[in-house]
């Protein structure tokens, strides 16, 4: 993509086709290399709320939010995700970039989106200008599994299903896939640490001090492998810093992108 170039702003989501599947997309206008948002395990375009606009305003860059296949208003997955689900998501991320004609990108991931961003940066280092990773994780933690179990027990009786239904065409499948894959005993030894050695992208880690899913140990693991990685631990913030402290996170992210 040539710079400077301003991408069109769409107030409502639009759709592109990737391998015969409709992919939900929303763009906020800006100039320069786009920032692509990679959502969490239960996320979607709409679950980013107003953060894309905040990030575009803080950085001046175009911001693109999209829902992976099986999430939001994107087309359904043909089958439940396998153990390679994050690698498949990285494949789809690169396919979205190609479909949009994007040669270089800033990646901003949240939770599972951070692992996807790291896999993309490891696979295509020349295409990724920077990484901002909120609630990053590169291994499984017992705390995360316990939190998922608690969410599973509350899904049927609480209002979580109703809330997810506002953001997904098929909230039951989204939730069942999330629980099924992360509580699969075969995933207990999951780690992408060895693959981080291929990452040479300027990286910023953002961790909520009160995150119940992942600890600050994940930051140390990443910093030990990717040279020059910066980290920000935000007090009074849980697993979703962009929701708990959206203005601060947008500013921190914009500052990092501006250096890259």
């Amino acid at each position: 993509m040539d710079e400077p170039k301003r991408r069109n702003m769409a107030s409502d989501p639009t759709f592109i086709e990737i391998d015969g599947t409709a992919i939900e997309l929303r763009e906020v206008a800006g100039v320069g290399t786009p920032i692509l948002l990679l959502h969490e395990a239960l996320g979607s375009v709409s679950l980013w709320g107003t953060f894309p606009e905040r990030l575009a305003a803080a950085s001046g860059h175009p911001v693109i939010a999209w829902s992976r296949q099986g999430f939001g208003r994107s087309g359904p997955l043909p089958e439940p995700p396998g153990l390679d689900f994050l690698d498949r998501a990285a494949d789809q991320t690169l396919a979205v970039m190609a479909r949009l004609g994007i040669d270089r990108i800033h990646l901003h991931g949240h939770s599972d989106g951070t692992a996807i961003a790291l896999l993309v940066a490891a696979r295509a280092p020349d295409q990724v200008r920077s990484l901002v990773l909120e609630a990053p994780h590169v291994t499984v933690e017992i705390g995360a599994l316990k939190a998922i179990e608690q969410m599973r027990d509350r899904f049927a009786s609480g209002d979580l299903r109703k809330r997810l239904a506002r953001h997904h065409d098929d909230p039951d499948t989204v939730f069942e896939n999330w629980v099924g894959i992360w509580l699969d005993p075969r995933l207990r030894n999951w780690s992408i640490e060895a693959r981080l050695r291929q990452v040479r992208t300027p990286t910023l880690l953002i961790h909520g001090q009160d995150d119940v899913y992942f600890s600050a140990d994940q930051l140390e693991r990443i910093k030990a492998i990717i040279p020059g990685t910066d980290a920000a631990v935000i007090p009074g913030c849980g697993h979703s810093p962009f929701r708990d402290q959206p203005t601060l996170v947008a500013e921190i992210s914009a500052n990092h992108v501006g250096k890259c």
Side-chain angles (χ1 to χ4, degrees), residues 83-99:
L83 298 182
D84 62 346
F85 72 108
L86 292 171
D87 282 289
R88 288 180 177 271
D91 290 340
Q92 192 167 76
T93 301
L94 289 165
V96 167
M97 290 169 55
R99 177 68 175 78

Side-chain angles (χ1 to χ4, degrees), residues 203-207 219-220 223 228-234 252:
T203 300
L204 171 66
L205 311 177
I206 301 176
H207 176 73
L219 309 186
E220 299 308 316
K223 288 164 64 178
T229 295
D230 293 322
V233 177
I234 304 179
I252 293 173

Side-chain angles (χ1 to χ4, degrees), residues 98-239:
R99 177 68 175 78
L100 295 175
I102 297 172
D103 297 322
R104 294 271 280 166
I105 199 77
H106 298 281
L107 294 178
H108 185 122
H110 172 232
S111 195
D112 275 10
T114 67
I116 296 165
L118 286 164
L119 291 171
V120 172
R123 193 179 305 177
D126 293 336
Q127 291 186 259
V128 183
R129 289 190 61 173
S130 75
L131 294 172
V132 176
L133 309 178
E134 293 188 51
H137 50 274
V138 293
T139 62
V140 177
E141 286 192 18
I142 295 300
L145 301 182
K146 290 180 178 179
I148 292 170
E149 289 173 348
Q150 292 171 359
M151 291 278 279
R152 178 192 60 192
D153 296 340
R154 298 197 329 250
F155 184 69
S157 59
D159 67 345
L160 177 58
R161 186 191 182 282
K162 184 183 298 184
R163 288 188 282 122
L164 287 179
R166 295 198 291 265
H167 302 283
H168 299 283
D169 284 340
D170 188 353
D172 295 294
T173 297
V174 168
F175 188 81
E176 289 165 6
N177 285 344
W178 174 60
V179 171
I181 195 66
W182 280 108
L183 296 185
D184 188 325
R186 295 174 298 168
L187 203 70
R188 294 295 169 91
N189 295 321
W190 172 82
S191 171
I192 59 170
E193 288 174 283
R195 297 164 74 176
L196 300 189
R197 294 185 177 88
Q198 307 302 317
V199 178
R200 56 176 185 264
T201 305
T203 300
L204 171 66
L205 311 177
I206 301 176
H207 176 73
Q209 195 172 52
D210 300 328
D211 191 335
V212 298
Y213 286 91
F214 294 99
S215 71
D217 175 64
Q218 299 291 330
L219 309 186
E220 299 308 316
R221 289 175 178 271
I222 297 169
K223 288 164 64 178
I225 301 173
I226 303 177
T229 295
D230 293 322
V233 177
I234 304 179
C237 205
H239 186 62

